[in-house]
Amino acid sequence: MGSATSTSPINMPPHSFTQSVSVSLLLAVFLWLQGCQAEDSHLLGSVPINITEESDMASTKGVPRMGKMLIELMTLLGAVGLSNSAIQRPDYDDTAAPEFLNPSWMADLPDSRPLSEVTMPGTHNTMAIYGGALAECQSWSLASQLRAGVRFLDVRVRHVRGNLTIHHGVSYQRAHFGDVLEGVADFLREYPSEMVLMRLKEEFSETFDIYGAVVSYIHLYADWDLLWHSRLMPTVGQARGKLIVLQDFGGPDLGMRYSSLDIADDWKVPTLLHVAEKWQSVHEHLETAHVGNKAYIFLTYGSGAGIFAYPNAIAQRINARLYDYLMALMGQNRRFGIITMDFPASPLLQMIINFN
């Protein structure tokens, strides 16, 4: 069990496969558009095209069908992410290590505060650092994420004959669930003032029966007493040093049920033309979290993806909006719950933490 492996891991150099597929897809789309050109050729060249960077939306009023398709193709090209150069901004970071760390920020929280009233940063598809641009959602290791201040983990496991390997869709992440448990246990032993929330679900398999394997892994790689064993909302003091499993699968209780949270996860973002819609969903849920029922944990996903809008392209735009939104509210007494992101930067994590 300790050497659990995927039966068919897919190992490929990051970016290379998805980039080549993207280029092929875009070439196919372009050739298709050329086939439509005869129909619209008499209209092209006479109508002005206005693209506004501010909204990530193309203003195509009055533009013929061919012109609109060309605008969308140019927008799609911006989502391919062919460049391998790393970026480190205050809101977005796809470098290998955080700009700075904040491993024990929960030590300053009062023991009496209910967990539902804590604002904390999280990562979507926490372990997804391999598989190319379409699969990769993070660039920091689990240990680096925890030490940077992340306290919500989104973990996906493939179940094959009792083995639980980490996947993002088809992409094997060169790790198994035991690696995650050991990483969390080591962190909490070093920083007992902290707690970690972990959404756990099955992915790239459909056994709908991972409970027994999860329990076996906990006994092998962690400690049963490491977990918070209740559906009830703990206080910060009760949760210190604990892993709180947000159980997104069937079976007896291991912790709290993921479905008990108030969740906004509108992850489907087909192209960069749809970023504004994604941000609207994020913004509305953050505003609701501030005034919502404090007995519930609010969970807002800033992440998104589509076949022509990779996670990094969405994150660069949504994270920037999130940073500006939070900056404008600094100093106010606000409860946001969990804000989950792809490729967050240390300054953005710290900004979220500061609302406590």
Side-chain angles (χ1 to χ4, degrees):
M1 186 71 136
S3 59
T5 58
S6 171
T7 58
S8 59
I10 296 178
N11 293 311
M12 61 188 71
H15 306 296
S16 59
F17 175 74
T18 49
Q19 287 171 2
S20 63
V21 169
S22 299
V23 172
S24 299
L25 285 170
L26 289 171
L27 179 59
V29 172
F30 181 72
L31 291 174
W32 175 73
L33 289 174
Q34 281 190 317
C36 301
Q37 189 169 11
E39 180 182 348
D40 291 336
S41 60
H42 67 287
L43 295 172
L44 290 178
S46 60
V47 182
I49 297 175
N50 177 35
I51 299 177
T52 57
E53 175 68 20
E54 180 179 354
S55 66
D56 288 315
M57 297 292 288
S59 176
T60 58
K61 184 177 181 180
V63 180
R65 182 164 61 92
M66 180 62 180
K68 291 180 181 179
M69 289 187 290
L70 286 172
I71 290 171
E72 292 185 4
L73 179 60
M74 288 186 290
T75 304
L76 298 180
L77 281 167
V80 174
L82 293 176
S83 172
N84 287 327
S85 58
I87 300 171
Q88 188 174 72
R89 304 186 321 216
D91 58 280
Y92 174 92
D93 190 344
D94 61 13
T95 65
E99 184 179 348
F100 57 84
L101 304 178
N102 191 357
S104 58
W105 63 267
M106 287 185 149
D108 295 330
L109 299 179
D111 284 343
S112 59
R113 181 177 297 179
L115 180 61
S116 57
E117 296 184 27
V118 176
T119 294
M120 69 178 74
T123 49
H124 157 257
N125 250 303
T126 300
M127 301 293 287
I129 60 176
Y130 299 106
L134 189 56
E136 294 167 16
C137 299
Q138 310 299 331
S139 60
W140 303 340
S141 68
L142 174 61
S144 293
Q145 291 182 43
L146 291 170
R147 283 164 173 74
V150 170
R151 292 295 175 269
F152 169 86
L153 311 179
D154 175 24
V155 177
R156 322 290 183 89
V157 294
R158 182 187 183 192
H159 183 211
V160 180
R161 295 190 296 275
N163 292 334
L164 298 175
T165 51
I166 306 298
H167 271 256
H168 181 192
V170 69
S171 296
Y172 169 56
Q173 296 302 315
R174 309 181 195 179
H176 59 81
F177 186 48
D179 297 321
V180 178
L181 288 171
E182 287 181 334
V184 171
D186 289 346
F187 174 78
L188 291 175
R189 276 192 293 268
E190 186 175 359
Y191 299 100
S193 63
E194 309 304 291
M195 69 197 71
V196 175
L197 284 69
M198 181 197 298
R199 180 224 188 160
L200 183 61
K201 64 168 290 189
E202 184 175 11
E203 182 146 333
F204 199 56
S205 60
E206 295 182 352
T207 67
F208 306 105
D209 185 25
I210 67 171
Y211 178 84
V214 170
V215 170
S216 295
Y217 268 75
I218 292 170
H219 285 298
L220 276 171
Y221 295 99
D223 186 280
W224 193 247
D225 291 335
L226 179 71
L227 272 61
W228 170 256
H229 293 287
S230 175
R231 288 193 182 194
L232 299 178
M233 186 72 63
T235 63
V236 168
Q238 291 171 325
R240 291 194 195 277
K242 296 291 186 182
L243 168 61
I244 301 174
V245 175
L246 301 175
Q247 189 171 337
D248 199 5
F249 55 92
D253 289 349
L254 281 176
M256 300 176 69
R257 296 286 171 167
Y258 180 72
S259 60
S260 70
L261 280 62
D262 191 311
I263 303 167
D265 185 15
D266 296 320
W267 65 270
K268 293 182 180 179
V269 186
T271 73
L272 297 187
L273 297 171
H274 300 84
V275 166
E277 296 172 20
K278 170 63 182 179
W279 171 246
Q280 182 179 358
S281 169
V282 172
H283 179 268
E284 289 177 355
H285 201 248
L286 292 176
E287 290 290 300
T288 301
H290 170 54
V291 297
N293 190 334
K294 291 189 176 182
Y296 291 92
I297 297 175
F298 279 72
L299 170 59
T300 306
Y301 283 88
S303 51
I307 190 63
F308 290 118
Y310 292 171
N312 60 352
I314 299 301
Q316 288 182 45
R317 290 154 175 80
I318 295 298
N319 290 9
R321 286 166 165 77
L322 178 61
Y323 185 89
D324 291 343
Y325 168 76
L326 295 176
M327 179 66 77
L329 297 174
M330 287 301 295
Q332 297 185 28
N333 182 19
R334 290 238 172 184
R335 187 277 304 250
F336 292 115
I338 304 168
I339 304 177
T340 302
M341 300 152 285
D342 287 340
F343 302 103
S346 291
L348 179 54
L349 298 181
Q350 185 61 54
M351 186 178 291
I352 293 169
I353 291 167
N354 285 344
F355 278 95
N356 291 291

